């Protein structure tokens, strides 16, 4: 092995010890006030006691822990470098094999999603959580068009989610619209909001666009809180009608036929839960098909080209503004549709559901999933929704766990869980073009 | 006359980058514009596309005044630009890059045009499903040229195509330029620092200094000129 690579690769034992000593020193400095000293109540007065053995154990643990972590990280780095060296010539073949594997994972996930409520038909918690996952999948797929494909950093996606939710809430409570009628209309309203925001702001790039969209998300929320006559202010809007099964409501008893009486079933609240699950499953599958189709059309390629190099796009005569606006409006529309579903499922919405925190989680789903990857969004949604759920036992450490998991994903998979990009078209073996 | 610039001035903020440029390109010609770093060569090319807008003067293409047209409209006037630094789409495949070049072209020509590009650059056919970012610099340059040609331009603008390439690829690129012109009748405006190769490939040349054209003539004459030799071919600004 050439000495240069060797020097690059493996630190010497002395270097490792020095590195770990540094960490131990920091542990010592932090540990003295936090662990070494403690107070105790002795005879009515507060005494300062010392706990040096515990502190020593703490420092020793930091020292050893650092050695182990450093070693693992180095090993990981070396393995990745070795992989990089092998890549290149076989790149195209690898892509193809990876693509086929991902496709089968996708079908597997689809099958699981399909049978999940049948298997857990009496477990409300599981079906509810799965529904939440699917809402985030849909939001993620919507934002994926904007961030993953067109490369526009949008920190205010929750605004369109809110627009969709409030549009349905108001249309149904004020004008008596049904769920299915309001669904496309609310989606279009959210899309129009996307155009209205995009028109002035899409000439901005990167960080600047992020700040404007962040501001927009807050504007929508603050307006909803303060415009009490319109949105009910902080009290929100309640008794939003639930979706019906082609006109059959999910209620225990009614003069008109209900879902249960029509099908001769005994009433169960699970019927509605499972129905809602399938509604969002269908909505997100439609989203997936739509986005996948669009990606293969010239407009989809235009989005990706804008992400890759805006100047080159202009030189090729593309109208970059139109490409960005269409991506932004489509993302907003999908967010709005998810919002309609959210409002119908909850039956109650208030501005509190649409804080910046939501935008951040949706963006995290897209980034962790691997920008532009549809399946990645699904995996990241599962991880990000289930982690806080699983973490409930850890009470206040829950968010800590959540943060640690996100950091770990970024360390192991810097490009996201699935950074593989499926080409929009391939050559068929005979050599012709195939869409 | 295919392209005509008369009295063109342009500014970058306070910097007066172009100071009255007169330049013309005739149908079927290869014209080169040489000059040192910062002379304003790339500014001149970009100002054709309205970035920056010219502050005075007139640009006509095929008899039409394009001075004030929006950038993407100018690019639809049968002018293709191969930008400096190639600017291919790195995460997209070679095929997708080529398709992006044809966004404005008639889709019926697509298969014929792809075949033409593969004939011109066989390496692209081999790499057609590979991510463009994994190509070597020279291959990326070929891809950038092919992408520009997919739009079936009448005038091809090349901004420093030899920049940062290995000598073998530089040779190949200039060979391609000659081939495009001689076999396909392509009109080419070539911007270069590599004066030696550029002047040999070109029918006519312009020398640019500090935002002005200081010399012009046939490629052969400029190549033989003592001043050009001293400034661009032998290094250093020695007074001959």
């Amino acid at each position: 092995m050439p000495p240069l690579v060797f020097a690059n690769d493996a630190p010497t034992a002395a270097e490792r010890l020095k590195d770990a000593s540094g960490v131990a020193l920091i542990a010592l400095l932090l540990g003295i006030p936090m662990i070494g000293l403690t107070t105790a109540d002795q005879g009515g007065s507060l005494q300062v006691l010392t706990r040096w053995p515990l502190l020593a154990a703490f420092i020793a643990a930091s020292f050893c822990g650092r050695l182990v972590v450093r070693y693992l990280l180095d090993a990981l780095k070396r393995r990745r470098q070795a992989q990089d060296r092998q890549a290149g010539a076989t790149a195209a073949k690898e892509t193809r094999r990876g693509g086929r594997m991902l496709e089968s994972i996708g079908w597997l996930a689809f099958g699981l999603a399909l049978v999940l409520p049948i298997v857990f038909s009496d477990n409300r918690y599981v079906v509810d959580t799965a529904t939440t996952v699917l809402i985030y999948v849909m939001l993620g797929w919507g934002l994926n068009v904007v961030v993953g494909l067109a490369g526009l950093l949008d920190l205010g996606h929750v605004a369109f989610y809110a627009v969709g939710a409030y549009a349905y809430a108001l249309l149904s409570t004020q004008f008596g619209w049904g769920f299915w009628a309001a669904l496309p209309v609310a989606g279009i309203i959210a899309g129009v909001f996307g155009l209205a925001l995009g028109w002035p702001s899409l000439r901005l790039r990167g960080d600047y666009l992020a700040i404007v969209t962040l501001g927009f998300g807050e504007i929508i929320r603050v307006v909803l809180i303060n415009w009490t006559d319109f949105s009910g202010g902080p009290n929100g809007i309640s008794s939003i009608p639930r979706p019906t099964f082609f006109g059959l409501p999910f209620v225990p008893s009614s003069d008109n036929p209900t879902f249960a009486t029509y099908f001769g079933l005994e009433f169960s609240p699970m019927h509605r839960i499972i129905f809602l699950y399938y509604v969002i499953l269908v909505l997100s599958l439609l989203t997936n098909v739509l986005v996948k189709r669009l990606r293969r059309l010239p407009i989809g390629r235009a989005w990706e080209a804008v992400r890759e190099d805006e100047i080159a796009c202009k030189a090729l005569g593309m109208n970059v503004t139109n490409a960005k606006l269409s991506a932004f409006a489509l993302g907003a529309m999908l967010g709005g549709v998810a919002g309609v579903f959210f409002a119908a499922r909850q039956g109650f919405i208030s501005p509190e559901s649409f804080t910046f925190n939501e935008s951040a989680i949706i963006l995290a789903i897209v980034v962790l999933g691997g920008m532009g990857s549809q399946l990645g969004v699904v995996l990241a949604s599962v991880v990000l929704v289930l982690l806080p759920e699983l973490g409930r036992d850890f009470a206040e450490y829950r968010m800590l766990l959540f943060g640690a998991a996100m950091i770990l994903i970024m360390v192991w998979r810097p490009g996201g869980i699935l950074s593989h990009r499926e080409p929009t078209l391939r050559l068929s073996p005979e050599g012709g073009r195939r869409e | 006359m295919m392209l005509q610039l008369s009295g063109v001035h342009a500014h970058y903020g306070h910097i007066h980058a172009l100071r009255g440029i007169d330049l013309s390109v005739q149908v079927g010609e290869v014209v080169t514009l040489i000059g040192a770093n910062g002379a304003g060569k790339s500014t001149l090319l970009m100002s054709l596309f309205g970035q920056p807008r010219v502050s005075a003067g007139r640009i006509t293409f095929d008899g039409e005044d394009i001075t004030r047209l929006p950038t993407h409209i100018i690019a639809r006037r049968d002018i293709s630009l191969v930008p400096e630094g190639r600017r291919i789409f790195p995460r997209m495949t070679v095929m997708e890059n080529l398709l992006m070049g044809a966004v404005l072209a008639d889709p019926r020509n697509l298969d014929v045009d792809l075949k033409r590009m593969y004939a011109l650059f066989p390496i692209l056919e081999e790499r057609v499903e590979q991510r463009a970012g994994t190509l070597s610099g020279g291959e990326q340059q070929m891809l950038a040229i092919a992408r520009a040609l997919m739009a079936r331009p009448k005038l091809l603008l090349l901004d420093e195509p030899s920049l940062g390439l290995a000598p073998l690829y530089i040779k190949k690129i200039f060979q391609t330029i000659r081939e495009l012109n001689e076999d396909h009748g392509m009109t080419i405006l070539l911007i270069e620092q590599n004066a030696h190769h550029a002047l040999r490939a070109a029918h006519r040349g312009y020398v640019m200094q500090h935002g002005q054209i200081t010399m012009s003539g046939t490629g052969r004459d400029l190549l033989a000129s003592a001043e050009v030799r001293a400034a661009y071919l032998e290094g250093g600004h020695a007074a001959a």
Side-chain angles (χ1 to χ4, degrees):
Chain A
M1 195 183 275
L4 189 72
V5 176
F6 186 72
N8 237 347
D9 260 353
T12 61
E15 273 170 356
R16 285 185 195 285
L17 288 177
K18 199 175 146 199
D19 175 60
S21 308
V23 173
L25 182 70
I26 295 171
L28 173 71
L29 291 177
L30 288 175
I32 289 175
M34 289 168 74
I35 297 172
L37 303 176
T38 185
T39 53
D41 191 17
Q42 282 186 343
S45 68
L46 213 54
Q47 297 280 314
V48 176
L49 302 177
T50 57
R51 295 190 294 189
W52 301 131
L54 188 64
L55 179 61
F58 173 66
I59 292 169
S62 318
F63 184 79
C64 298
R66 176 65 187 179
L67 277 180
V68 171
V69 167
R70 191 69 247 174
Y71 177 78
L72 288 178
L73 285 180
D74 283 344
L76 210 70
K77 199 169 113 193
R78 236 170 303 145
R79 212 176 64 195
R80 194 167 298 146
Q81 276 170 352
Q83 277 170 359
D84 284 354
R85 251 173 269 141
Q86 281 168 8
T90 55
K93 231 177 274 168
E94 288 279 318
T95 324
R96 190 170 284 208
R97 191 155 359 110
R100 233 178 267 136
M101 201 183 78
L102 287 186
E103 205 168 301
S104 39
I105 296 178
W107 282 108
L108 185 74
F110 171 65
L112 286 179
L114 217 51
V115 300
L116 180 128
I118 300 169
V119 176
F120 293 98
S121 61
D122 49 357
N123 191 334
R124 180 174 178 160
Y125 174 71
V126 169
V127 181
D128 256 342
T129 311
T131 308
T132 310
V133 170
L134 283 176
I135 291 181
Y136 279 104
V137 167
M138 182 148 178
L139 285 170
W141 276 343
L143 188 62
N144 204 7
V145 174
V146 182
V147 179
L149 295 184
L152 306 165
L153 187 49
D154 178 3
L155 287 181
H157 197 61
V158 77
F160 307 119
Y161 188 42
V163 167
Y166 271 86
Y168 172 60
L170 291 171
L171 282 174
S172 61
T173 55
Q174 304 293 321
F175 303 102
W177 285 46
F179 175 79
W180 296 107
L183 193 71
V185 174
I188 290 169
I189 292 175
V192 169
F193 268 77
L195 284 178
L197 168 66
W199 187 255
S201 59
L202 282 180
R203 65 193 66 214
L204 301 174
R205 308 180 52 136
D207 329 2
Y208 304 101
L209 178 68
I211 292 168
V212 171
T213 52
L214 176 68
F216 181 71
E218 288 301 292
I219 288 171
I220 294 278
R221 193 175 62 86
V222 171
V223 166
L224 289 176
I225 290 179
N226 290 294
W227 195 359
T228 319
D229 299 339
F230 175 73
S231 65
N235 298 329
I237 299 174
S238 50
S239 25
I240 301 167
R242 308 309 186 97
T244 56
F245 185 83
F246 300 105
L248 300 169
F250 294 90
V251 287
S253 61
S254 153
D255 298 338
N256 300 318
T258 68
F259 178 78
T261 57
Y262 188 86
F263 289 99
L265 300 166
E266 201 172 319
F267 173 78
S268 153
M270 277 309 288
H271 289 162
R272 196 183 72 220
I273 307 291
I274 292 175
F275 172 65
L276 282 172
Y277 174 86
Y278 278 117
V279 169
I280 186 70
L281 184 63
V282 169
L283 286 178
S284 41
L285 286 177
L286 284 177
T287 305
N288 185 27
V289 171
L290 177 75
V291 173
K292 273 199 152 159
R293 289 263 147 178
L294 284 175
R295 235 198 105 207
R296 281 154 201 264
L297 292 178
I299 179 71
R301 268 198 292 276
W303 290 337
E304 289 198 81
V306 167
R307 174 195 71 200
E308 299 286 291
D309 197 320
E310 214 177 306
I311 292 175
C313 286
K314 280 187 183 160
L316 295 174
M318 270 174 51
N319 189 334
V320 173
T321 316
N322 280 358
K324 286 178 170 184
L325 262 184
S326 56
F328 213 70
L330 180 69
M333 196 189 84
L334 295 174
V337 170
V340 173
F341 178 81
F342 176 76
R345 177 202 185 203
Q346 302 287 333
F348 164 76
I349 51 169
S350 77
E352 255 174 56
S353 308
F354 309 106
T355 56
F356 171 66
N357 204 19
E358 289 298 307
S359 286
I361 288 183
I362 305 167
L363 186 65
I365 284 173
V366 174
V367 174
L368 289 183
M371 306 249 258
S373 164
Q374 296 285 92
L375 189 58
V377 165
V378 177
L379 297 180
S381 305
V382 171
V383 171
L384 290 197
V385 174
L386 288 193
L387 258 184
E389 291 294 328
L390 294 176
R392 278 192 193 284
D393 297 338
F394 297 93
E396 63 262 42
Y397 296 110
R398 203 170 108 183
M399 291 323 274
L400 200 66
L401 208 72
F402 186 73
M406 280 172 75
I407 292 173
L408 284 179
I409 293 178
M410 287 288 70
V411 168
W412 278 325
R413 314 236 14 138
I417 297 174
L418 291 176
S419 51
H420 166 83
R421 176 184 173 276
E422 180 67 15
T424 58
L425 78 174
R426 293 195 175 285
L427 289 180
S428 60
E430 298 83 52
R433 276 185 317 119
R434 181 167 70 96
E435 290 296 328
Chain B
M1 197 69 67
M2 184 163 264
L3 181 73
Q4 173 100 51
L5 283 76
S6 29
V8 167
H9 287 261
H11 293 80
Y12 268 125
H14 294 298
I15 300 164
H16 196 168
L18 300 180
R19 304 158 183 254
I21 301 288
D22 293 301
L23 183 149
S24 65
V25 181
Q26 312 231 7
V27 179
E29 260 190 325
V30 177
V31 174
T32 186
L33 181 66
I34 58 173
N37 259 336
K41 304 182 304 276
S42 291
T43 309
L44 177 66
L45 259 202
M46 291 315 287
S47 71
L48 293 181
F49 286 90
Q51 307 220 343
R53 286 252 165 251
V54 300
S55 38
R58 209 170 112 92
I59 304 171
T60 59
F61 175 73
D62 244 358
E64 182 193 10
D65 188 342
I66 60 167
T67 322
R68 305 265 161 230
L69 293 180
T71 303
H72 66 273
I73 300 294
I74 297 172
R76 288 173 194 193
R77 292 287 188 275
D78 300 324
I79 308 179
S80 275
L81 167 69
V82 180
E84 186 179 353
R86 311 185 275 272
R87 293 193 173 272
I88 46 125
F89 305 118
R91 286 189 69 194
M92 300 170 81
T93 63
V94 168
M95 167 74 93
E96 287 168 328
N97 269 272
L98 291 175
L99 290 182
M100 286 315 299
V103 274
L104 302 173
D106 188 340
R108 277 171 301 181
N109 296 334
L110 201 58
D111 285 316
V112 182
D113 285 353
L114 282 173
K115 288 222 175 69
R116 275 198 310 141
M117 294 312 136
Y118 297 153
L120 204 53
F121 304 109
I123 188 76
L124 294 184
E125 187 167 19
E126 282 171 41
R127 304 278 156 96
V128 76
E129 283 191 11
Q130 205 165 311
R131 274 169 51 170
T134 63
L135 300 181
S136 76
E139 290 164 354
Q140 288 187 11
Q141 187 65 60
M142 293 178 196
L143 176 59
I145 294 175
R147 184 180 65 181
L149 290 173
M150 286 297 285
R152 297 199 165 191
K154 287 186 191 157
L155 173 64
L156 183 67
L157 308 174
L158 293 161
D159 196 350
E160 303 219 10
S162 74
L163 192 73
L165 297 190
L168 200 65
Y169 275 119
I170 295 182
K171 222 169 157 185
K172 164 76 184 153
I173 294 289
F174 280 101
Q175 218 173 351
T176 307
I177 291 171
R178 233 171 267 138
E179 195 183 321
L180 278 173
N181 177 255
E182 281 162 16
D183 302 351
H184 304 269
M186 182 66 65
T187 312
I188 295 170
L189 175 57
L190 168 68
I191 296 218
E192 260 302 338
Q193 287 202 51
N194 193 330
H196 177 69
H197 276 293
L199 288 173
R200 286 210 321 182
H203 298 112
R204 290 191 300 118
Y206 292 88
V207 179
M208 200 167 174
Q209 261 177 343
H210 308 300
Q212 283 170 318
I213 303 280
T214 50
M215 287 175 82
S216 66
T218 65
R220 196 171 314 208
D221 287 350
L222 286 175
L223 207 52
S225 130
E227 232 176 296
V228 172
R229 293 199 75 87
Y232 302 106
L233 297 175
E234 280 148 20
H237 278 265

